[in-house]
Amino acid sequence: MKTQKLLQAIQFVRGALTADTAYAGPFFITMEVTERCNLRCQACPYHSPDLSPAVNNHPPRDIPYELVLRVCSEMKSSGGWRLQLIGHGEPLLHPRIIDIIAAGKAAGLEVLLVTNGTLLDEERVHSLVALGLDKIQVSLWANSPEDYERNHPGTPAAMFDKVVRGVELLVKEKSVQGKMRPRIFLHQTITRYDYGNIERFADVAMATGCDAISFSPLNSHRGKMSAHALSAEEVTAVCRTLEQLRARLCRTRLAHNIDDVLACYRAGRMIWEKYGCYIGWIDARVRINGDMAPCNLCELSLGNLGQDSLQEIWNGPGFRKFRRRVRTPQGLRSLNAHCDCEYCCHLPANRRLHPFFRALAPLTRK
């Protein structure tokens, strides 16, 4: 495995010396699993009650299992590492989600599942642990039952406790099966409804036995969700709270992503202006209809798996054009109409890669 990753790193550098060709990757595939959801999160770009008319003007769809099998097979043959299962909805509502996770594991991939946690019952929890799921991110979006009800209109406050019990079931099942995985992350998107009680969120995570907590700034989705976003003064306050929480967590076993969140807030909403965008060299998004895009909130379709293979699309005209455009500030700005980069969730990768690509810029073949 170490030799394989070294060879991939060499090929990655080789590709970075070109303007648009990737000789390695995609290392990660983020797969949309379903459009169905059982919640209406206040600031969700797909199911928020604030959205009128609804974003999706068709019945909710699930990704075909056959497409999942094909992507997993092609990732295995191309040296991919991780399959990230998310959705425009709740992945556990996909009727074959357990089979999808099993397919990823059978292909030798790390598998990450992002869920709202409301469906974590004993049967599902047992299956997730037994399958060897590597990581599960439970997006709680609240610090208390009262916060939960405000962030999830129409959902009773008692659902907060149900999600917490589901996380506790996961922790217990890992112990019963003698497993170290999945690593359990409790996640909170920071909104105006919960930013003042962030330390309580850490208390909830520690009480349940989670492995880590993570935060993300709220993306206003081109202003549609600005009513739920923090003001400049509230951003300053939340950064101060996060710094205090980071100091406190140094004395615990709980992992966190506070440094990345602070960097995100300090870089500002248009984070790409400081760190650039390199996601087109490492990651790709597979949509339910087989379209491939660079990332979550990018409207561009750079190819379709119903017509070409994963590798043909990865180095096809769409991805190559995208890579050329993001190599310059002017090109990045030209993508603003298609890509919603506010508080980009790929900041950790872009921060690491930015000095590397900047150093190689004078050597790049145009």
Side-chain angles (χ1 to χ4, degrees):
M1 179 62 74
K2 289 183 178 179
T3 301
Q4 179 188 16
K5 289 194 174 183
L6 176 60
L7 291 173
Q8 287 178 332
I10 293 170
Q11 291 291 72
F12 178 79
V13 173
R14 179 188 172 204
L17 286 167
T18 72
D20 58 13
T21 304
Y23 293 103
F27 302 115
F28 315 120
I29 289 288
T30 302
M31 181 178 287
E32 295 176 5
V33 174
T34 184
E35 293 172 338
R36 291 188 278 167
C37 199
N38 58 343
L39 294 180
R40 297 293 179 267
C41 302
Q42 191 78 271
C44 173
Y46 311 111
H47 300 283
S48 170
D50 289 356
L51 295 177
S52 182
V55 172
N56 295 319
N57 56 5
H58 53 75
R61 301 169 296 178
D62 300 318
I63 196 167
Y65 179 61
E66 294 72 20
L67 177 57
V68 175
L69 290 176
R70 183 179 154 200
V71 169
C72 290
S73 174
E74 293 190 32
M75 283 189 72
K76 181 178 182 180
S77 62
S78 64
W81 300 346
R82 183 183 304 151
L83 179 66
Q84 304 177 132
L85 303 174
I86 60 171
H88 285 187
E90 168 50 47
L92 289 177
L93 285 172
H94 193 294
R96 300 197 67 176
I97 187 61
I98 298 301
D99 294 332
I100 289 172
I101 294 169
K105 293 304 300 178
L109 304 173
E110 293 182 6
V111 182
L112 159 66
L113 175 69
V114 178
T115 173
N116 62 32
T118 58
L119 301 175
L120 291 175
D121 57 21
E122 290 186 3
E123 181 180 354
R124 288 190 180 92
V125 162
H126 174 82
S127 296
L128 295 175
V129 176
L131 282 170
L133 180 68
D134 294 279
K135 176 180 173 181
I136 184 167
Q137 177 181 301
V138 180
S139 297
L140 188 56
W141 280 48
N143 308 306
S144 67
E146 296 74 25
D147 287 341
Y148 195 91
E149 193 169 28
R150 282 192 290 269
N151 268 326
H152 304 82
T155 301
M159 186 62 75
F160 176 89
D161 294 319
K162 184 176 188 299
V163 175
V164 169
R165 287 196 299 273
V167 173
E168 291 172 340
L169 278 175
L170 265 172
V171 174
K172 180 180 178 181
E173 187 63 28
K174 285 168 61 177
S175 177
V176 168
Q177 296 191 30
K179 301 282 186 69
M180 298 297 293
R181 297 190 178 190
R183 293 195 72 212
I184 305 169
F185 283 61
L186 204 61
H187 181 78
Q188 177 182 9
T189 298
I190 301 174
T191 72
R192 60 179 299 197
Y193 309 110
D194 53 33
Y195 81 95
N197 298 311
I198 285 175
E199 293 212 9
R200 190 190 303 173
F201 188 74
D203 293 336
V204 172
M206 285 188 280
T208 58
C210 288
D211 299 291
I213 56 173
S214 61
F215 301 97
S216 62
L218 174 69
N219 184 320
S220 72
H221 304 293
R222 304 188 187 279
K224 295 176 184 176
M225 306 298 170
S226 56
H228 313 299
L230 304 185
S231 67
E233 294 77 14
E234 289 167 339
V235 167
T236 299
V238 83
C239 286
R240 187 161 51 244
T241 301
L242 286 169
E243 288 171 344
Q244 294 168 352
L245 179 58
R246 179 179 58 188
R248 173 189 163 197
L249 293 179
C250 286
R251 301 185 293 273
T252 74
R253 65 165 190 84
L254 198 65
H256 59 81
N257 72 334
I258 290 176
D259 287 338
D260 288 330
V261 181
L262 289 171
C264 201
Y265 276 126
R266 288 164 180 164
R269 294 180 184 275
M270 295 298 98
I271 204 164
W272 52 267
E273 293 180 343
K274 181 171 183 179
Y275 292 112
C277 175
Y278 309 103
I279 202 64
W281 297 86
I282 58 174
D283 197 353
R285 178 96 166 191
V286 174
R287 304 202 186 283
I288 285 172
N289 65 355
D291 281 351
M292 280 183 62
C295 65
N296 180 12
L297 296 175
C298 183
E299 300 166 356
L300 297 171
S301 174
L302 306 186
N304 186 279
L305 289 163
Q307 302 167 6
D308 297 297
S309 71
L310 189 152
Q311 278 300 314
E312 286 170 338
I313 297 172
W314 184 238
N315 270 312
F319 264 97
R320 293 182 68 180
K321 181 179 179 181
F322 179 83
R323 293 186 191 112
R324 287 194 299 270
R325 291 176 74 176
V326 299
R327 291 297 286 264
T328 67
Q330 297 84 358
L332 275 168
R333 281 192 289 271
S334 74
L335 287 167
N336 279 351
H338 308 286
C339 302
D340 184 1
C341 300
E342 179 181 335
Y343 288 139
C344 175
C345 64
H346 294 295
L347 169 70
N350 286 331
R351 280 181 75 198
R352 289 194 297 271
L353 291 173
H354 184 60
F356 170 77
F357 274 89
R358 188 169 56 182
L360 289 182
L363 305 175
T364 301
R365 299 192 299 275
K366 301 296 184 183

